[in-house]
Every structure is written in C-alpha cells, then in structure tokens.
Amino acid sequence: MQRTLVLAKPDAVQRGLIGELVSRIERRGLRIVGIKMMRVSEDLGRRHYAAHVDKPFFPGLLKFITSGPIVAMVVEGPNAVELVRNLMGATNPKNAAPGTVRGDLAVSVGPNLIHGSDSPESAEREVALFFAKSEILDYPRDIDRWVIE
Ligand code: DAT
Ligand code: MG
C-alpha cells in the first residue's frame, strides 16, 4: 500500500474541475485519505518545488502555484504513485495522451491542472509538507454493515 500527494492546481479549481479530478482518482480505485482546500504560501511553494528552484521557469511556476486556492489530497492504494502519474499524463499537455487528465483537459505546461508525486520518496516528503498526521484519516470499507433490511 502506498500514499502519494495530489494537488488540484489553481487552474483546476478555477475551471470547476475539482470533481473531475477527484472522480478520476476514485474511479480508478484509489482512496482519498486526506483532502483540503488551501492556499500555497511562497514558502511552501519553494519547498514543494525545491528540485526546480534553479530552472528558468521556476519564478512563473511559483507565481502560478501561489496564485489561488488549490485542493490538496493524500491518495492511497497499491502503486498509488505510479497510478496517479499515469492518469495525469505527460508534464506538457501537448505530449499528453488522450485519456489522461492533461491529455483530455489541458493545453499548456503552465496551468496543467494536477500535481502527483514522482516517486515514493517524493511522496513521503510532499505528504508531510502539506498534511499533519491528524489530517490523514484511514477508514475501512465496511459500509454494508450499516444497511438496514
Ligand atoms: P510534473 O508536474 O509532471 O511532475 P515537473 O515536476 O517536471 O512536472 O515540473 C513541475 C511543474 O513545473 C510542471 O507541472 C509545470 C512546470 N514546468 C515543468 N517544466 C516546465 C517547462 N519546461 N516550462 C514551463 N513550466 C514547466
Ligand atoms: Mg513533478
């Protein structure tokens, strides 16, 4: 069982695509065990994208990710990191396959809708950056026991 950090980026929130992203994750069979709407501070943005601080696109990336509310999620399941990466599609939507979030719904490598951790190590680091332990809620799939006949 693996956990990964997913962000519905500011463009996803502004375009009303939170549900679309959540739906694709849930329909795949992954479980959302943490979710919140929040604003990314400049400090959090820098830490989250620490690997990119020296890239030419970093200033724009930081401006974008802090530009409006996002929805952060902790997503759990077998191979959650790889499954989420696959459903996201390529970083640049122009290369993203149809059927993926970016291939179906995005046109630009700036506002490309979704973030997903790129390795189990990144996932652990990023989940800890965005979520307190108390904000991650594991739960059993035992809803049938509440059915009244
Ligand atoms: P991903 O989001 O697919 O994990 P990444 O970690 O390489 O991609 O980069 C983080 C974000 O930075 C990406 O979602 C969009 C932006 N970005 C990446 N490469 C870029 C480029 N060449 N020009 C502009 N923005 C870029
Ligand atoms: Mg990345």
Side-chain angles (χ1 to χ4, degrees), residues 49 52 85 115-116 118:
Y49 282 127
H52 299 306
R85 291 299 300 190
H115 169 84
D118 63 9

Side-chain angles (χ1 to χ4, degrees), residues 35-111:
I35 185 165
K36 60 181 170 185
M37 184 177 270
M38 60 182 286
R39 209 50 200 257
V40 176
S41 67
E42 206 171 298
D43 180 61
L44 178 58
R46 275 180 202 286
R47 289 181 197 224
H48 175 62
Y49 282 127
H52 299 306
V53 280
D54 296 326
K55 308 264 173 70
F57 60 81
F58 181 75
L61 177 60
L62 189 60
K63 277 217 169 84
F64 167 60
I65 202 68
T66 59
S67 68
I70 60 145
V71 173
M73 289 168 253
V74 182
V75 173
E76 183 182 87
N79 302 304
V81 169
E82 195 181 350
L83 263 58
V84 167
R85 291 299 300 190
N86 288 343
L87 71 78
M88 287 164 57
T91 301
N92 192 330
K94 116 182 148 192
N95 307 125
T100 64
V101 169
R102 289 163 172 169
D104 288 346
L105 303 168
V107 293
S108 162
V109 71

Side-chain angles (χ1 to χ4, degrees), residues 88-145:
M88 287 164 57
T91 301
N92 192 330
K94 116 182 148 192
N95 307 125
T100 64
V101 169
R102 289 163 172 169
D104 288 346
L105 303 168
V107 293
S108 162
V109 71
N112 62 2
L113 293 172
I114 185 167
H115 169 84
S117 310
D118 63 9
S119 70
E121 296 71 34
S122 306
E124 203 163 318
R125 187 184 77 84
E126 293 173 0
V127 165
L129 272 180
F130 280 80
F131 284 85
K133 278 210 168 76
S134 61
E135 293 175 316
I136 302 171
L137 302 167
D138 211 355
Y139 50 93
R141 290 196 220 210
D142 65 349
I143 201 68
D144 283 351
R145 75 202 197 88

